[in-house]
Amino acid sequence: KASVAGYARAQSLDHAFNLLHSALGEAVVIAGGQSLVASLNLRLSEEALLVDIRHLPELRGIGVRDGFLRLGALTRHVELASDPLVGEHVPLLAQAAPLIAHAAIRSRGTLGGSLANADPAAELPACMIALGAEILVRSAQGERRIPAHSFFEGLFTTALEESEIIIAVDVPLKAAGDQHVIQELTRRSGDYAIVGLAGVKSVNGVRLAYFGVSDKPVLAAGAMDILNSGGSIDDAVAALRGDLDPESDPHASAEYRRHLAAVLMRRVMVDLTNS
Ligand code: FAD
């Protein structure tokens, strides 16, 4: 691939699609630039064309519609932390946003960018799975909705086609009595999590999505089954052996990650039950 040769500021979504099509396979969109620019600097990506989508009004806005909180793809992490609608209807995201990186990154990084980037240690992808959110994506051919649990396919890999842009995310509204909790363990404040867990408790039971334990966020299906059929937290923790298959890396061994996953399960379940 050629190294970056061009930058184009999209004037409309159709313009963005045309630009992407004009250099298919060699063009990417840039939103907050907080992951992409670092990756270009490190020569981990080499794109011929950056299509800047930051100025498209269609990708902005936070509002309630049809039982969902719709979050535009350009919603910045700092907005998730402070927007009153997010705090009221999806407190999990308001809790998660301050855990992401540092203030400077949170003031530029976007929701769509975090989901498209699909870092397995990122907070927002796991939150979207725990919440049962749907990701709206569009190309020149039309729009489709992708459930969060099938959007993340592997390390930095999603169900997005090259010509598609994330437009927004629809998140089910918190009902009275629902509980939202996120916990993570990091070496230093602002670091990516070694292991993290996003939990949602509703009338349908608990949903627990881990991050930092695999090449993508993982729903702890076995542990959830046990908890949702009246089993004990000890049994749910034991079931994590079947749910999670972490690998060792320079940051932590697989066994240490398993240990932290169990610690987080106990903490999150206490918070979900007591809050
Ligand atoms: P960009 O960097 O602009 O783009 C990232 C990727 O997403 C690119 O491939 C781009 O083409 C694609 N993309 C962007 N928007 C769209 C869209 N609407 N549709 C389709 N594709 C799109 N993140 C965490 O979650 N937790 C952390 O603890 C954390 N720590 C960080 C620490 C540092 C030092 C840095 C530099 C970053 C960290 N991040 C962390 C990443 C940060 O949250 C990024 O902002 C985020 O992952 C990407 O958002 P962005 O808008 O900056 O995307």
Side-chain angles (χ1 to χ4, degrees):
K1 282 187 181 179
S3 56
V4 171
Y7 163 92
R9 179 167 158 174
Q11 305 300 328
S12 66
L13 256 181
D14 283 342
H15 186 212
F17 294 138
N18 285 339
L19 288 165
L20 286 176
H21 187 72
S22 71
L24 206 57
E26 299 280 308
V28 282
V29 298
I30 182 164
Q34 297 304 295
S35 295
L36 184 56
V37 172
S39 142
L40 290 167
N41 282 343
L42 293 168
R43 305 292 188 268
L44 296 173
S45 315
E46 293 185 323
E47 312 295 349
L49 179 64
L50 299 184
V51 177
D52 189 348
I53 56 172
R54 269 177 314 156
H55 304 280
L56 301 182
E58 302 96 315
L59 307 187
R60 291 198 180 277
I62 298 176
V64 175
R65 52 195 278 180
D66 306 330
F68 291 101
L69 186 67
R70 177 161 291 189
L71 300 160
L74 289 175
T75 302
R76 291 171 295 131
H77 306 327
V78 68
E79 293 173 274
L80 290 179
S82 60
D83 187 277
L85 286 176
V86 178
E88 179 183 350
H89 295 296
V90 196
L92 186 67
L93 298 177
Q95 291 175 40
L99 302 176
I100 301 172
H102 307 284
I105 291 162
R106 293 195 292 272
S107 70
R108 290 220 159 234
T110 67
L111 171 61
S114 176
L115 302 183
N117 195 47
D119 190 308
E123 288 81 359
L124 298 178
C127 288
M128 294 308 171
I129 290 179
L131 291 161
E134 291 186 328
I135 297 162
L136 274 72
V137 308
R138 200 182 295 168
S139 69
Q141 280 68 49
E143 190 168 296
R144 60 186 182 124
R145 299 171 73 88
I146 309 176
H149 66 79
S150 49
F151 184 79
F152 303 99
E153 296 186 335
L155 189 66
F156 301 115
T157 310
T158 69
L160 271 182
E161 302 287 342
E162 271 175 344
S163 55
E164 284 178 324
I165 294 177
I166 299 175
I167 302 298
V169 182
D170 275 349
V171 187
L173 304 180
K174 176 181 178 291
D178 289 1
Q179 300 296 344
H180 290 184
V181 173
I182 183 167
Q183 291 243 4
E184 66 179 34
L185 293 159
T186 58
R187 265 183 225 294
R188 298 169 307 186
S189 158
D191 281 0
Y192 272 104
I194 302 173
V195 179
L197 176 57
V200 171
K201 182 163 160 258
S202 71
V203 287
N204 300 319
V206 290
R207 281 174 71 83
L208 300 170
Y210 278 95
F211 47 105
V213 291
S214 178
D215 62 348
K216 59 181 179 181
V218 179
L219 209 53
M224 283 162 43
D225 278 350
I226 289 172
L227 293 165
N228 291 332
S229 51
S232 69
I233 295 182
D234 284 343
D235 287 345
V237 165
L240 287 179
R241 286 247 149 225
D243 288 336
L244 309 179
D245 187 17
E247 293 199 352
S248 298
D249 65 22
H251 302 292
S253 68
E255 210 39 50
Y256 184 55
R257 283 205 158 85
R258 282 189 187 282
H259 171 73
L260 297 186
V263 169
L264 286 180
M265 161 84 78
R266 292 184 191 283
R267 290 185 186 173
V268 164
M269 286 311 297
V270 166
D271 285 356
L272 284 177
T273 319
N274 293 343
S275 48

